[in-house]
Amino acid sequence: MPLTPLLVGVDAGTTNLKLLAIDPDSMEQIAHAARSVDTNVPKPGYAEQDPDQLWQLFLDCMAELTTEVAAAGRTIGALCFSTAMHNIMAVDEAGKPLTPAIIWSDNRASQEARTLNKEQGDLYKAIGVPLHPMLPLCKLMWFGRHQQRLLKRASRWLSLKEYLWWKLTGRYEVDYSIATASGLFDSRKSVWHRPALKLAGVDIRQLSTPVNTTHRVQYQDLPDGHVPGLSTDTWLIIGASDGCLANLGAGAVEPGVTTITIGTSGAVRRTSVRPIRDAQSRLFSYPLYKHEEQPITAQPAGQQINEEPASDLSDWYVVGGPTNNGANVLEWLSEKLTQQDIPTLLDKAAAIAPGSDGLLFLPYLQGERAPLWNSDVRGGYRHLDWQHTQAHMARAALEGVMFNLRQIELLLARHTGPTRVIHANGGFAQSALWVQMMADIFGVPVRLNASNESGAIGAVLLARMALSLGNGEPVSLGDLTRRIAFGQTFEPDPERHKVYVQSFKAFQAAIDTM
């Protein structure tokens, strides 16, 4: 009996491109390939990537992956894409890049974001994403102010995912979640939002056709040549954003399950059957999957709900907030303040009691997104005195990152109900100290995913759903996530939690004075 073709999750993040080939029956990883992605900083506040480098890295990874797949006696049945959000680039009529891809961390559009927040605050109700320099909407406004001729001359404005998809299919299409991340899209109605397009100075003909995240196309060789490992039997599934698929790959789809990811930056996310709108525009809502026949009702701003389980006919949204400040705080502490390596700092932090003897750290080293949405805010220590050592500073820094994430989680809980368990992933999960600290601060169990490749795993799960829909035998995402493997669970310590309740109150009071 022939073996089931493998499903490949393509995870194109800001720093790495990863491809995982997974057996859809056993969810066993059969092959893996990865490459680092370069980010260029031509000026302070700028952050750019080369789209053609990303395409070449994809081809290199596919060649490596195909060799491993063939050695295992397997074939590739489908690719599904998880990609970073909030990037944009211009191309000409032939699809050739006219600009680099300006990525999420580029802050050149800070003035445009401030103007939008002051004059167009109601825009959030339609687009469902806080107004911030990361948005392509703001970046397009920057082009309108500084490079008006380019804004009009560009045949298309694309994200990096759209560029990869066009290179693979010859089609200009964008999935609903990446479209929402642009700030130009009304995710409730699944259409480009014309008032936002007017502000951006672009025409709808310069944008791709929005499609569902399960949209699929059969691979065909294009003039650019053959992609290793693919045939006309291979399905290409457009997929979703990395945030959405990381949530899916973490198995966080049931009510009360919150995902917290901490890498260099971080995010707090929940899966919801409806979009939400925060009264102060502090949370995002990205479509993970849209059941096209369902009417869409937005969650009223500021209204708490008890989230009901999703059905096979539900819309799925990933809602939450991102933070700029995660493990980068630990890197700063190591490189800039103490000149000690990270394992040494973690050991020192472990020797200090919870609460750091009153020392607080506000972890805003690179501005902040959620919950403050202030690119100008800066961090620092509070209540520093003679008794505090470098070990106290290390512990307080770890606690400060967690306190900020706790603020986001409490804000999210107002709309989606309380958290009963956290699914945690990202580089921080390698530190048992930091994970236990999360359980103690949040007061709920923290489950580690067995794999840190949640974005690629989420892409594979979405691929399974897309193929099942195409075959007329729909499988729900909820059923698929029950097969996700988990590692250790960290239970909260009641006594440490009591200490942290008081420390968190002091942290909130310090934020209120900023």
Side-chain angles (χ1 to χ4, degrees):
M1 184 174 178
L3 295 171
T4 306
L6 303 176
L7 304 181
V8 176
V10 180
D11 186 5
T14 303
T15 56
N16 293 290
L17 172 68
K18 303 176 185 178
L19 275 64
L20 266 64
I22 292 177
D23 185 312
D25 297 324
S26 66
M27 289 302 291
E28 177 188 0
Q29 179 181 311
I30 305 299
H32 171 271
R35 297 288 188 278
S36 296
V37 181
D38 295 331
T39 296
N40 301 313
V41 183
K43 295 181 182 179
Y46 283 39
E48 302 174 347
Q49 292 183 343
D50 181 351
D52 286 325
Q53 185 212 33
L54 183 63
W55 172 246
Q56 187 58 53
L57 292 176
F58 170 73
L59 294 177
D60 293 345
C61 283
M62 281 300 301
E64 180 180 332
L65 192 82
T66 298
T67 300
E68 291 187 26
V69 167
R74 308 295 290 268
T75 59
I76 295 173
L79 271 66
C80 185
F81 295 84
S82 165
T83 55
M85 296 180 280
H86 312 304
N87 52 75
I88 193 165
M89 56 181 283
V91 299
D92 63 16
E93 291 183 358
K96 182 179 178 180
L98 296 173
T99 68
I102 303 172
I103 65 173
W104 71 269
S105 55
D106 189 292
N107 281 318
R108 72 184 70 178
S110 294
Q111 180 57 53
E112 285 72 19
R114 282 192 287 269
T115 299
L116 281 180
N117 274 297
K118 185 181 297 184
E119 300 177 1
Q120 304 287 338
D122 286 347
L123 191 63
Y124 170 81
K125 295 177 183 177
I127 64 175
V129 213
L131 300 172
H132 185 270
M134 69 183 182
L135 293 185
L137 163 61
C138 298
K139 294 175 170 71
L140 287 167
M141 291 175 65
W142 182 91
F143 275 107
R145 193 154 62 97
H146 295 277
Q147 298 184 32
Q148 180 69 36
R149 291 180 63 186
L150 175 63
L151 187 69
K152 299 300 181 184
R153 183 165 64 92
S155 176
R156 300 268 179 174
W157 289 94
L158 309 176
S159 67
L160 282 166
K161 168 181 267 191
E162 292 162 78
Y163 186 67
L164 290 178
W165 187 254
W166 174 78
K167 295 283 278 186
L168 279 166
T169 69
R171 297 167 177 245
Y172 286 113
E173 295 170 325
V174 59
D175 71 77
Y176 290 156
S177 67
I178 291 292
T180 301
S182 71
L184 302 168
F185 192 70
D186 187 331
S187 63
R188 300 171 301 181
K189 299 178 181 178
S190 301
V191 296
W192 294 114
H193 187 58
R194 289 188 180 275
L197 268 56
K198 184 177 180 180
L199 289 167
V202 296
D203 188 273
I204 198 168
R205 291 169 294 185
Q206 292 175 287
L207 302 176
S208 298
T209 301
V211 295
N212 210 342
T213 55
T214 49
H215 174 66
R216 63 180 191 163
V217 175
Q218 278 189 295
Y219 172 77
Q220 301 288 336
D221 283 343
L222 294 174
D224 277 354
H226 177 71
V227 176
L230 305 188
S231 71
T232 53
D233 293 329
T234 307
W235 286 103
L236 304 174
I237 298 158
I238 199 164
S241 67
D242 54 359
C244 285
L245 291 176
N247 215 59
L248 178 61
V253 297
E254 299 295 331
V257 181
T258 297
T259 296
I260 298 183
T261 302
I262 308 177
T264 302
S265 56
V268 181
R269 307 183 191 94
R270 291 277 290 269
T271 304
S272 171
V273 297
R274 56 175 61 81
I276 66 170
R277 297 293 186 265
D278 174 59
Q280 296 181 45
S281 308
R282 293 168 294 181
L283 298 173
F284 58 64
S285 286
Y286 299 121
L288 171 58
Y289 168 72
K290 300 292 288 292
H291 180 68
E292 305 283 11
E293 299 173 3
Q294 287 282 93
I296 301 168
T297 304
Q299 173 65 23
Q303 179 177 322
Q304 181 171 331
I305 63 167
N306 293 317
E307 188 70 64
E308 66 265 31
S311 72
D312 289 354
L313 299 181
S314 294
D315 294 334
W316 295 70
Y317 289 82
V318 171
V319 299
T323 173
N324 287 354
N325 300 283
N328 64 315
V329 171
L330 198 52
E331 292 170 9
W332 167 81
L333 197 69
S334 170
E335 297 174 12
K336 302 294 178 67
L337 188 62
T338 67
Q339 287 79 51
Q340 298 178 26
D341 62 35
I342 289 175
T344 299
L345 286 174
L346 290 172
D347 287 343
K348 287 189 171 184
I352 302 300
S356 301
D357 290 324
L359 184 63
L360 292 174
F361 183 69
L362 310 184
Y364 307 124
L365 300 180
Q366 294 180 304
E368 190 51 285
R369 290 181 288 171
L372 305 180
W373 292 102
N374 184 345
S375 59
D376 297 323
V377 70
R378 289 297 179 265
Y381 285 97
R382 296 289 177 91
H383 311 307
L384 182 66
D385 66 29
W386 183 259
Q387 69 168 322
H388 293 130
T389 65
Q390 286 187 346
H392 286 90
M393 290 181 174
R395 177 109 195 177
L398 298 175
E399 291 173 346
V401 171
M402 287 299 166
F403 289 149
N404 191 62
L405 291 167
R406 175 67 165 152
Q407 288 193 117
I408 302 171
E409 185 269 334
L410 288 173
L411 172 60
L412 188 56
R414 296 178 196 172
H415 300 271
T416 59
T419 295
R420 58 180 176 81
V421 64
I422 292 171
H423 290 186
N425 52 50
F428 98 108
Q430 298 173 29
S431 168
L433 168 69
W434 217 358
V435 179
Q436 184 62 55
M437 188 182 292
M438 176 180 284
D440 294 338
I441 288 174
F442 286 75
V444 297
V446 176
R447 301 176 70 190
L448 296 184
N449 290 100
S451 170
N452 260 333
E453 306 293 354
S454 55
I457 291 171
V460 167
L461 294 178
L462 189 65
R464 286 201 62 188
M465 182 178 180
L467 295 174
S468 72
L469 290 169
N471 296 336
E473 300 176 355
V475 177
S476 75
L477 289 175
D479 288 339
L480 292 174
T481 56
R482 294 188 182 98
R483 303 172 59 199
I484 291 173
F486 292 92
Q488 184 178 355
T489 296
F490 291 74
E491 297 289 342
D493 179 277
E495 294 306 313
R496 289 195 292 263
H497 180 62
K498 289 179 183 177
V499 173
Y500 279 132
V501 167
Q502 297 306 313
S503 296
F504 181 61
K505 289 179 180 177
F507 179 87
Q508 289 178 303
I511 297 301
D512 289 342
T513 65
M514 295 181 70

